[in-house]
Amino acid sequence: MRNTGPKPQAGVAAKHADASRIEPAAMRKDFGAGATKTAPERNARTASQAAEPQRKLIVRTGDKPSERVPVILETAGTDDYRLIDSGAGEKLEQYGPYRIVRPEAQALWPRSLPAHVWEKADALFTGDTDEDGMGRWRFPEAALGETWPMRLLDTDFHGRFTAFRHVGVFPEQLAHWSWMKARIEAAGRPLKVLNLFGYTGVASLVAARAGAEVTHVDASKKAIGWARENQALGRGEALPIRWICEDAMKFILREERRGSRYDIILADPPKFGRGPNGEVWQLFDSLPLMLDVCREILSPRDAAFVLTAYSIRASFYSIHELMRETMRGRGGLVESGELVIREGGTDGRTAGRALSTSLFSRWTSA
């Protein structure tokens, strides 16, 4: 789900993006086909878009859903991932066989572990420390391959060193994925799941393996390609997943016109992104309409909507209240708060500090 490559912004269709969360916002620009169009083509496209009627927000009435705040969803270590330590603006993590050091602006505290532990890292990201900034990887001991196999929630996928410091998965999302997996398995019927800004497809694969019929949408062709590689890695070619490379807003607007319905919608939009035809996504401008349309394509009963927001300067209350206003009259419950990862030390069992990674809001009908 923080569409699509690294986590940067998944284009309009893409958690934050790391690329669909395939990659950061900057990455998305590079991935989008629109980035190569000539000035006349861009002008023609802009004129065409301006001529299209704009879907208006629907005025919602009725009571707002119940609420539960703040909710802190915590992810601890697994066999293939753990946060070893953090501090001094960086984090030390274990991804499969590799120890990795990356920038982390929220790690304001001093490191807990001694320097020699950090110095044993297999890879360090250097360069721009901004979430969407480009940089490069340094390998202290020996050059590593671009990809390596990983496994979370019985789902195989590739980790990958990208130019935007992300590695193809946002492990804090395990809290949502575990919740989703349990909901799908308990449904007693094949649920329909829509994964917007789907990035490298790990959430889509988890949902499909649990028994859901999945539609995965990301604006980045590179992200879709990565997701298909992940599907093949786990021999999941037969899983019921539709891989769609398209601008997320365009897709859901078309689904609304078609009368399509989904039981679970996952949305992990970036702060900024571009769709494959140059469509512009700005989180604060575009999010209200996206939520409004998503409400219309949710199943009339037993539905759920999960929204995650990365790297934005806002309180979780901003998306919490937006979600409650959007879902007026549909009852249910809105839970909002933060996703955090707990330090586990070198052994994965020494609980340390909690590192906040993103905001979320989750509505469920029951």
Side-chain angles (χ1 to χ4, degrees), residues 184-242:
I184 293 169
E185 292 173 341
R189 63 183 177 89
L191 298 186
K192 294 184 65 178
V193 173
L194 173 60
N195 187 10
L196 294 173
F197 310 95
Y199 193 29
T200 57
V202 182
S204 296
L205 291 167
V206 169
R209 289 193 179 281
E213 298 173 358
V214 181
T215 300
H216 174 110
V217 181
D218 198 291
S220 166
K221 289 182 180 179
K222 189 170 182 179
I224 296 293
W226 190 345
R228 286 183 173 275
E229 290 178 14
N230 288 336
Q231 182 181 26
L233 180 67
R235 299 181 180 179
E237 290 88 348
L239 292 173
I241 304 175
R242 291 194 298 159

Side-chain angles (χ1 to χ4, degrees), residues 137-151:
W137 290 90
R138 181 168 65 86
F139 306 107
E141 296 297 327
L144 303 177
E146 180 186 0
T147 66
W148 68 93
M150 287 192 62
R151 185 177 179 84

Side-chain angles (χ1 to χ4, degrees), residues 86-98:
S86 61
E90 293 183 314
K91 55 187 175 184
L92 175 64
E93 301 167 286
Q94 188 80 37
Y95 280 93
Y98 300 139

Side-chain angles (χ1 to χ4, degrees), residues 59-137:
V59 178
R60 305 294 178 180
T61 59
D63 294 335
K64 291 190 289 187
S66 301
E67 62 179 333
R68 188 161 74 93
V69 290
V71 176
I72 306 300
L73 298 182
E74 181 177 309
T75 294
T78 69
D79 290 340
D80 254 28
Y81 172 80
R82 66 177 176 274
L83 174 62
I84 299 171
D85 192 19
S86 61
E90 293 183 314
K91 55 187 175 184
L92 175 64
E93 301 167 286
Q94 188 80 37
Y95 280 93
Y98 300 139
R99 286 190 181 182
I100 295 173
V101 175
R102 297 187 291 164
E104 179 49 70
Q106 297 201 83
L108 304 175
W109 44 83
R111 297 171 175 176
S112 294
L113 298 177
H116 71 82
V117 176
W118 286 72
E119 291 168 357
K120 291 180 180 178
D122 299 291
L124 301 89
F125 184 85
T126 62
D128 196 328
T129 58
D130 181 75
E131 177 68 23
D132 299 326
M134 294 183 68
R136 59 186 298 272
W137 290 90

Side-chain angles (χ1 to χ4, degrees), residues 301-318:
R301 60 185 182 83
D302 297 332
F305 184 13
V306 181
L307 170 68
T308 308
Y310 287 83
S311 295
I312 64 170
R313 296 180 179 179
S315 164
F316 71 83
Y317 265 110
S318 61

